[in-house]
């Protein structure tokens, strides 16, 4: 087809054509996009509502979970306290031990210090310090303690027998484990 | 495949840039457009049509002599039609047409370069001062050479029409020779051989030869309806133009029973036109080496003055070739299906505008 239009005019026409093509495509895609949005709006609203419902449900579950955790912590703490308390009441008190050793005192022997060491199984080691008038008194004191079934061993160091009178002593006593006060 | 897709999803009108065919002659501007159709086989319907008188001295023998005045005519056209894009016809008087051959399957990029050399041999103005375009004529695939029809116009002529359009805020989409546009409208697509197209206008007669749908020859004879009116005035006395037109269209070349005054007056002028046609015909046949395939098989008349009574018969008889008034709607729609709003008598003047409006490719 012969067309004698000037070259510049042809160029302008081609430019115009492409511009229009791009505009049409742009319009078309915008329309498709708009149509897509319109079509997807109901689904979006539905999904959004569902997500909100699930979020609310998850928040409620979280809250419940948090309260359960608190309760569990409290329970754990209570349990620990209970264990501690039951441990405490499972072993004789210090006062009972002091009273036991005070019971072995006599007029010629005075206990000045009782030292008790306790582990989870009970009293582990007892140290009793004091002053005895003479060796016989000290030995009698040891014998009285060994006669008690609650006491397993009484360790009297030789050094404690160095003096004849007013003997300071420092005994190590092992309690019989199975025996209760 | 793409055309199939376009049938299903036709491109929007905004993209197809619908145009109005505008045929500018020395005396009038005729325009016509068809409603955009979705499918190729849809029946075309005329959307707009009309004519605007161009004052004398604005376009003389196809040359724009008053660009401002032409622009104001185009502005009036724009106001009437609200057109943006137009297809314009160019006057045959300024056209240089020649036919040449090039090797088959020559790349399109090279063709223009080759033709530029041939321009110098065929066009009497420097190649840099012309605008030209070409059309490759249909040929067999195995052919070594192909015929190319080349049309060249002085740059100045095209520029003057282009600038007038721009001044009127119109965007020209195509410029082509008036005769090519007319051929598109009136020459049947299945015509064998060549056809001679005679555009018998008000001030001149354009002669074109069309072969395989391409205009290959064009010439102008400075005799038109106005000259016929002048000889009638001499013979019948001073009469107003409408009355003379009526005489031409009702009596014309038909010999009356009482007097043959009108016929005798007209025939002396028309014989000159006939001789010119015969000369061009002879030239064409000689140039074509009396090739039967290129022989002129019909003469088709159009143009406002083709209404002259008895003209087809006169030319058929004297040229010995069937001569008919063209059906300007030949390639637009079937007259059995559509009744055009333009009367047959006026339609001959719209052949150019119809042909331009029919063009669908830039």
């Amino acid at each position: 087809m012969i067309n004698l239009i000037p070259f510049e005019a042809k160029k302008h026409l081609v430019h115009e054509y492409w511009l229009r093509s791009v505009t049409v495509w742009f319009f078309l895609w915008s329309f498709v996009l708009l149509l897509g949005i319109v079509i997807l709006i109901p689904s979006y609203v539905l999904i959004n509502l569902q997500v909100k419902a699930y979020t609310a449900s998850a928040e409620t579950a979280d809250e419940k979970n948090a309260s359960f955790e608190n309760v569990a912590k409290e329970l754990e703490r209570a349990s620990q306290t209970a264990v501690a308390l039951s441990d405490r009441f499972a072993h004789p008190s210090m006062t009972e031990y002091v009273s036991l050793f005070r019971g072995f005192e006599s007029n010629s022997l005075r206990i000045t210090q009782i030292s008790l060491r306790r582990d989870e199984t009970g009293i582990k080691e007892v140290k009793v310090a004091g002053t005895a008038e003479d060796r016989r008194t000290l030995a009698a004191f040891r014998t009285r303690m060994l006669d008690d079934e609650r006491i397993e061993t009484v360790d009297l160091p030789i050094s404690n027998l160095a003096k004849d009178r007013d003997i300071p002593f420092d005994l190590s006593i092992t309690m019989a484990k199975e025996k209760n006060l | 495949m793409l055309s199939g897709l376009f049938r299903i999803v036709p491109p929007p009108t905004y993209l197809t840039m619908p145009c109005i065919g505008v045929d500018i002659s020395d005396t009038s501007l005729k325009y016509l457009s068809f409603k955009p159709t979705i499918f190729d086989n849809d029946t075309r319907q005329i959307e707009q049509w009309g004519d605007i008188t161009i004052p004398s001295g604005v376009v003389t023998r196809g040359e724009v002599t008053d660009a401002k005045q032409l622009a104001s005519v185009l502005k009036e056209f724009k106001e009437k039609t609200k057109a943006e894009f137009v297809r314009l016809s160019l006057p045959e008087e300024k056209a240089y047409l020649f036919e040449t051959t090039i090797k088959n399957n020559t790349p399109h990029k090279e063709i223009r370069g080759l033709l530029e050399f041939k321009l110098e041999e065929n066009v009497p103005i420097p190649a840099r001062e012309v605008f030209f375009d070409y059309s490759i004529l249909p040929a067999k695939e195995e052919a070594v050479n192909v015929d190319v029809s080349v049309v060249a116009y002085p740059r100045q002529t095209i520029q003057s029409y282009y600038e007038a359009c721009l001044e009127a805020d119109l965007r020209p989409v195509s410029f082509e020779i008036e005769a090519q546009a007319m051929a598109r409208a009136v020459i049947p697509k299945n015509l064998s051989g060549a056809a001679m197209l005679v555009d018998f206008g008000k001030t001149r007669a354009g002669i074109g030869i069309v072969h395989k749908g391409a205009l290959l020859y064009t010439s102008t004879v400075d005799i038109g309806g106005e000259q016929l009116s002048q000889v009638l005035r001499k013979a019948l006395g001073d009469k107003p133009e409408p009355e003379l037109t009526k005489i031409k269209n009702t009596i014309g070349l038909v010999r009356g029973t009482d007097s043959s005054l009108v016929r005798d007056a007209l025939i002396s002028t028309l014989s000159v036109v006939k001789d010119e046609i015969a000369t061009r015909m002879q030239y064409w046949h000689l140039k074509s080496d009396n090739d039967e395939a290129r022989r002129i098989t019909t003469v088709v008349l159009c143009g406002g003055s083709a209404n002259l009574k008895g003209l087809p018969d006169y030319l058929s008889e004297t040229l010995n070739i069937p001569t008919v008034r063209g059906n300007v709607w030949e390639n637009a729609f079937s007259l059995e299906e559509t009744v055009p709003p333009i009367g047959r008598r006026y339609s001959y003047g719209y052949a150019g505008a119809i042909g331009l409006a029919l063009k669908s490719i830039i």
Side-chain angles (χ1 to χ4, degrees), chain B residues 233 239-249:
Chain B
R233 273 196 196 96
K239 286 181 189 294
E241 187 60 36
E243 199 177 328
L244 291 173
T245 305
K246 195 180 173 187
I247 291 169
K248 284 190 276 185
N249 296 349

Side-chain angles (χ1 to χ4, degrees), chain B residues 167-323:
Chain B
E167 176 99 24
D169 200 20
L170 291 166
R171 307 280 299 276
V173 170
S174 73
F175 283 155
E176 64 178 316
I177 308 181
E178 192 182 358
Q180 177 68 68
M182 281 182 173
R184 190 178 300 118
V186 300
I187 305 290
K189 281 178 180 166
N190 53 358
L191 184 83
S192 61
M196 179 174 265
L197 190 67
V198 179
D199 171 23
F200 206 16
K202 198 173 180 183
T203 57
R204 52 105 184 106
I207 299 167
I209 297 172
V210 182
H211 178 55
K212 291 180 181 175
L215 182 74
L216 299 177
Y217 175 85
T218 183
S219 174
T220 312
V221 179
D222 287 331
I223 295 172
E226 238 172 39
Q227 283 73 19
L228 296 181
S229 296
Q230 277 172 16
V231 294
L232 278 180
R233 273 196 196 96
K234 275 183 192 168
L236 305 173
D238 199 17
K239 286 181 189 294
E241 187 60 36
E243 199 177 328
L244 291 173
T245 305
K246 195 180 173 187
I247 291 169
K248 284 190 276 185
N249 296 349
T250 53
I251 302 170
L253 300 173
V254 178
R255 201 188 300 270
T257 47
D258 302 330
S259 160
S260 60
L261 192 63
V262 173
R263 184 183 191 278
D264 294 342
L266 293 172
I267 211 88
S268 58
T269 310
L270 274 174
S271 64
V272 178
V273 178
K274 183 262 296 174
D275 291 341
E276 292 286 346
I277 292 172
T279 310
R280 266 97 179 149
M281 213 174 262
Q282 203 175 5
Y283 165 76
W284 173 258
H285 288 149
L286 275 173
K287 192 178 161 238
S288 309
D289 296 329
N290 284 320
D291 181 358
E292 277 304 310
R294 289 168 68 98
R295 197 158 185 85
I296 294 167
T297 55
T298 182
V299 176
V300 181
L301 296 173
C302 55
S305 298
N307 286 306
L308 181 69
K309 192 163 185 182
L311 182 63
D313 299 332
Y314 169 72
L315 291 175
S316 295
E317 200 177 303
T318 52
L319 296 170
N320 206 22
I321 280 181
T323 304

